[in-house]
Amino acid sequence: MNPSPSRLPLLALAVAAFAIGTTEFVIMGLLPEVATDLKVSIPSAGMLVSGYALGVAVGAPLLAAFTAKMERKHALLLLMGLFILGNALCAIAPNYDVLMVARVVAAFCHGSFFGIGAVVAAHLVPANQRARAIALMFAGLTLANVLGVPFGTFLGQWAGWRSTFWAVTALGVIAALGVARFVPSLPNLKAPDMRRELRVLREPQALIALGMTVLGFGGVFTVFTYIAPILQEQSHVSPHWTGAVLVLFGLGTTIGNMLGGRLADWKLMPSLMGILVVLTALLVAFAWTMHSTVASIVTVFLWGIAAFATIAPLQSRVVHVAGDAPNLASTLNIAAFNLGNAGGAWLGGAVLAAGYSMPMVSLTGAGVTVAGLLATMASVALERRRPVTAVAEGA
């Protein structure tokens, strides 16, 4: 059955989300190949994750401001152009430094694309279908973990890591053509008032919520950045089966994403604290289970569920405390996720560079997640003294 015309714009946005999600995460499955080819260490290769994440963190607010007055479709096409350029540069990068710059260029589109894309998706359908429209666009990001990252890992191991970036570049071109062809212009869509939006940065609860995101999700990337060498060196998973384990992780993230959304609608803050406790326990357990092939694979699957169950509650919390300035807050929270990714990747690399073992990396990640839990508890304590003047969250 052919998709209805009303769904084609959403599918074009979902393809773009799939491409962006793939290029963000696929580098972790290819760290050994990149490190060997460019003659750098695994911790140095891991900094390519940090470089991308910092590009998102810096690029999100800058491009949100730069594109604020642009028609939304034109802004999306500009952002996809940056994505295509950055990934093509990754594919031809002659050395590590050029690859790092290319990763940052590709990352600049990330935060603003999802911020603008969510607004566009919501305005393409009737009001009572907006949540489903946004979910359809973000389904591309979830599918990137299930299909894009494992396939990109397989392709990179078979035909060289550069082939993966050429494939993602081609996917970006297809997505851009889809946006150009199917996404309508929305000249009546009101541009955000950046001065009003910036006021959110004065709110203590908004700043704490961003900190919760940085720390709560940062522990995931302290470990996940190095998942390929962990599986191959500690769990004795062959390089060719690493992609299959990443498929399982991706399935876990899909379950976690849906579970986190339901829990956030039920009781936001209690659910978030519970998820962070489970995530911490799994990271502690992984320090031991990574030595067993079967136990490590089971832990990675459960870890995927817990890790991505945090996303909807963390995003919901930021929007909740932002009040009438949700646009910039939502974009900044995407930047906060990636700041956590960057800091986590750097921290894990620093632990390895200091001579510690892979299990210590997992324990370090658990410590970062505990810091996120403490920030969440501080937010709850502050709210009891100064209730957030927004829609009740059922906490």
Side-chain angles (χ1 to χ4, degrees):
M1 183 172 64
N2 293 326
S4 65
S6 62
R7 283 186 169 259
L8 290 175
L10 298 175
L11 290 173
L13 294 173
V15 172
F18 179 84
I20 293 171
T22 298
T23 204
E24 178 182 17
F25 296 121
V26 76
I27 190 70
M28 286 168 283
L30 297 173
L31 281 190
E33 288 75 17
V34 172
T36 300
D37 184 46
L38 298 182
K39 298 179 175 58
V40 297
S41 66
I42 289 291
S44 294
M47 291 303 293
L48 294 167
V49 177
S50 295
Y52 185 96
L54 287 174
V56 176
V58 174
L62 287 180
L63 286 179
F66 179 75
T67 61
K69 302 301 182 183
M70 292 180 65
E71 197 278 321
R72 300 292 82 184
K73 177 177 179 177
H74 295 160
L76 289 172
L77 289 173
L78 172 65
L79 295 169
M80 287 308 299
L82 275 177
F83 175 83
I84 293 166
L85 174 63
N87 281 283
L89 288 174
C90 287
I92 64 174
N95 55 50
Y96 176 83
D97 292 336
V98 174
L99 180 58
M100 177 66 79
V101 172
R103 289 280 291 170
V104 173
V105 171
F108 254 56
C109 80
H110 186 122
S112 291
F113 182 88
F114 283 108
I116 295 172
V119 174
V120 170
H123 282 80
L124 291 173
V125 296
N128 64 345
Q129 297 179 21
R130 287 181 173 178
R132 280 173 284 178
I134 294 171
L136 179 58
M137 186 195 77
F138 275 92
L141 186 61
T142 303
L143 284 174
N145 286 290
V146 180
L147 299 175
V149 172
F151 177 78
T153 301
F154 285 133
L155 179 63
Q157 292 172 344
W158 175 63
W161 64 270
R162 296 176 190 277
S163 64
T164 299
F165 286 101
W166 280 123
V168 173
T169 301
L171 195 58
V173 171
I174 293 170
L177 292 173
V179 171
R181 173 66 179 84
F182 297 114
V183 175
S185 297
L186 298 169
N188 296 325
L189 188 58
K190 185 179 178 181
D193 183 342
M194 293 306 294
R195 285 183 296 179
R196 187 187 69 182
E197 296 277 336
L198 284 169
R199 292 175 193 161
V200 74
L201 296 177
R202 301 177 187 173
E203 295 297 325
Q205 282 284 27
L207 296 177
I208 294 174
L210 292 172
M212 288 158 48
T213 297
V214 172
L215 296 169
F217 204 71
V220 174
F221 268 69
T222 302
V223 188
F224 190 59
T225 300
Y226 305 97
I227 191 64
I230 287 175
L231 290 174
Q232 293 169 22
E233 298 171 13
Q234 303 293 317
S235 308
H236 307 295
V237 176
S238 71
H240 295 296
W241 281 101
T242 300
V245 178
L246 293 178
V247 171
L248 198 60
F249 179 85
L251 290 173
T253 66
T254 303
I255 296 170
N257 195 37
M258 294 186 293
L259 178 63
R262 289 182 177 274
L263 291 174
D265 284 337
W266 176 54
K267 286 185 178 292
L268 177 53
M269 296 302 277
S271 295
L272 179 56
M273 287 188 285
I275 293 166
L276 290 173
V277 168
V278 173
L279 181 56
T280 300
L282 286 168
L283 288 171
V284 171
F286 194 43
W288 282 270
T289 61
M290 69 171 61
H291 300 298
S292 164
T293 302
V294 175
S296 66
I297 292 173
V298 172
T299 306
V300 166
F301 173 68
L302 296 174
W303 179 28
I305 296 175
F308 274 65
T310 65
I311 292 179
L314 289 169
Q315 191 77 7
S316 297
R317 179 61 176 175
V318 167
V319 172
H320 174 74
V321 299
D324 62 351
N327 294 282
L328 182 61
S330 182
T331 299
L332 287 176
N333 202 47
I334 293 173
F337 273 114
N338 283 273
L339 190 59
N341 297 352
W346 173 84
L347 184 59
V351 170
L352 293 175
Y356 293 99
S357 62
M358 290 293 188
M360 183 56 69
V361 173
S362 195
L363 293 176
T364 302
V368 176
T369 305
V370 167
L373 175 61
L374 293 175
T376 305
M377 295 169 66
S379 181
V380 171
L382 178 61
E383 188 164 8
R384 286 172 179 164
R385 295 199 301 269
R386 287 181 52 196
V388 176
T389 55
V391 179
E393 65 188 26

